[in-house]
Amino acid sequence: MKRDVLDRLRAARRERRSVALVTELGTGVQRLAEAGAGRTRVEPAGNDEVFTHVFQPTPRLILVGAVHIAQKLVPIARLAGFAVDVVDPRIAFATTERFPDVGLAHDWPDKAVAALSPDSATAVVTLTHDPKLDDPGLIVALRSRAFYVGALGSRKTHGRRIERLTAEGFDDAALARIRAPVGLPIGAISPGEIAVSIMADIIAVRHGRALQAAAA
Amino acid sequence: MVAPDENDDVLRVLDHAAEWLDDGQAVALATVVQTWGSSPRPVGSQMAIAGDGRFEGSVSGGCVEGAVVEAGQEAMADGKSRLLTFGVSDSDAWAVGLACGGTVRIYVEPVTSA
């Protein structure tokens, strides 16, 4: 690998761009290409083999609510390789002191989440317990391609949430995307335990191994 | 948004390769290109190797890293890339293998500063 190729790979990674590194395994001839829809693979090519290494950006987690659970969730998500953004218009909650090393957005959650443009590698979780803040974030998330949309709160709370979002025009299929009560049912009680249960569920859904259907 | 550079294992490996080159070290890069059966790290997993023996990242659960570091140093020495295959039945060839019974092919290439 030439230094130039290495540096372009690093830049693509930092800028969250997909890129494919194509290598002829016999000759070592190498080039960077558009990632396309293909996966990382080896294919025969004449007498040689071609290795196409697709570099996809790291997954992202957007948290609505700079609350205690978010403080516990941020390091766990980062450990699992997620880039994390925390959204909370309450300046006193979303401080760099409470949330070092993450992106902080102080706009109202609908505007803030939309500005972060959640894609199919993004998970969005609302944690405020306040419909005034959670719902706008959820609405933007449900209209995006986010692979995971979760909402903290009890079944009862979620029932009322479903009523409000139905009134906003979402149908049952759209609302079934919401993982709520968010997190795997492992009896989590403390903020740290709840954070673990949420992260485990995000990972399971990301890899198509959801252990629990979204609660009705 | 802040990218979790130090938690992005992919970037971490590539950054180490660049840093070592900047320090005047020879560098090789190992990449899992194919796997069969159960294997500890998926296709695309990488490990950077420095001339002084340091390495970053992993291409198995620790089963074959030693042999891959050695192959990396050979690649730095002769400037050629090589393709290694490790399997549980490969113990004659490499005296290391995957305890999990899988097979992996690993591409080891020198990283050149030019």
Side-chain angles (χ1 to χ4, degrees):
Chain A
M1 178 181 287
K2 295 196 171 94
R3 175 67 193 254
D4 169 57
V5 171
L6 175 67
D7 286 342
R8 281 156 64 201
L9 268 179
R10 294 164 66 214
R13 193 79 189 167
R14 288 214 153 76
E15 292 156 17
R16 301 188 58 80
R17 281 187 284 114
S18 301
V19 66
L21 174 66
V22 182
T23 308
E24 293 174 17
L25 294 180
T27 63
V29 173
Q30 218 162 36
R31 68 187 168 87
L32 285 174
E34 295 287 322
R39 298 177 68 87
T40 295
R41 65 204 178 265
V42 171
E43 290 162 319
N47 293 327
D48 202 349
E49 291 174 293
V50 172
F51 176 54
T52 303
H53 188 173
V54 180
F55 289 79
Q56 298 286 8
T58 52
R60 283 196 301 166
L61 173 61
I62 299 173
L63 298 176
V64 176
V67 297
H68 196 177
I69 292 171
Q71 284 179 288
K72 299 293 184 180
L73 191 44
V74 167
I76 296 171
R78 285 165 56 82
L79 205 60
F82 282 65
V84 187
D85 285 285
V86 174
V87 170
D88 202 319
R90 300 168 297 183
I91 309 280
F93 283 69
T95 63
T96 49
E97 194 183 9
R98 281 161 56 83
F99 292 92
D101 309 321
V102 302
L104 288 177
H106 295 121
D107 284 326
W108 207 256
D110 49 358
K111 193 176 166 197
V113 174
L116 293 167
S117 35
D119 56 19
S120 60
T122 305
V124 181
V125 178
T126 61
L127 300 170
T128 73
H129 283 298
D130 182 349
K132 191 161 81 263
L133 292 169
D134 281 352
D135 287 6
L138 277 177
I139 287 169
V140 173
L142 287 173
R143 288 185 180 138
S144 77
R145 295 178 58 225
F147 76 89
Y148 188 100
V149 181
L152 186 71
S154 67
R155 276 166 213 285
K156 204 169 141 193
T157 304
H158 188 55
R160 289 196 293 270
R161 180 183 295 127
I162 291 289
E163 285 171 22
R164 291 192 306 274
L165 293 176
T166 301
E168 290 285 336
F170 289 99
D171 61 19
D172 290 352
L175 295 174
R177 271 176 76 196
I178 304 174
R179 307 280 296 172
V182 73
L184 289 184
I186 54 173
I189 294 169
S190 70
E193 290 175 347
I194 293 167
V196 168
S197 80
I198 294 172
M199 199 62 227
D201 194 46
I202 292 172
I203 292 168
V205 168
R206 177 155 186 259
H207 295 303
R209 301 285 183 89
L211 300 179
Q212 162 216 17
Chain B
M1 176 186 45
V2 179
D5 288 1
E6 70 275 25
N7 291 311
D8 177 353
D9 292 329
V10 173
L11 187 56
R12 199 180 156 89
V13 168
L14 300 175
D15 280 354
H16 270 82
E19 271 169 39
W20 289 331
L21 282 176
D22 289 343
D23 290 346
Q25 288 278 325
V27 174
L29 190 65
T31 307
V32 177
V33 298
Q34 268 178 319
T35 68
W36 293 267
S38 91
S39 68
R41 296 295 326 268
V43 163
S45 300
Q46 292 186 310
M47 180 166 92
I49 303 148
D52 63 9
R54 281 180 288 173
F55 63 93
E56 183 65 33
S58 67
V59 288
S60 78
C63 321
V64 304
E65 272 74 3
V68 172
V69 167
E70 226 168 90
Q73 307 218 328
E74 289 166 20
M76 295 169 208
D78 67 13
K80 289 182 183 137
S81 58
R82 52 254 290 144
L83 202 50
L84 313 175
T85 303
F86 296 99
V88 75
S89 57
D90 255 16
S91 50
D92 298 342
W94 282 95
V96 290
L98 296 177
C100 51
T103 301
V104 290
R105 278 176 95 199
I106 297 171
Y107 183 66
V108 181
E109 62 189 311
V111 184
T112 54
S113 50

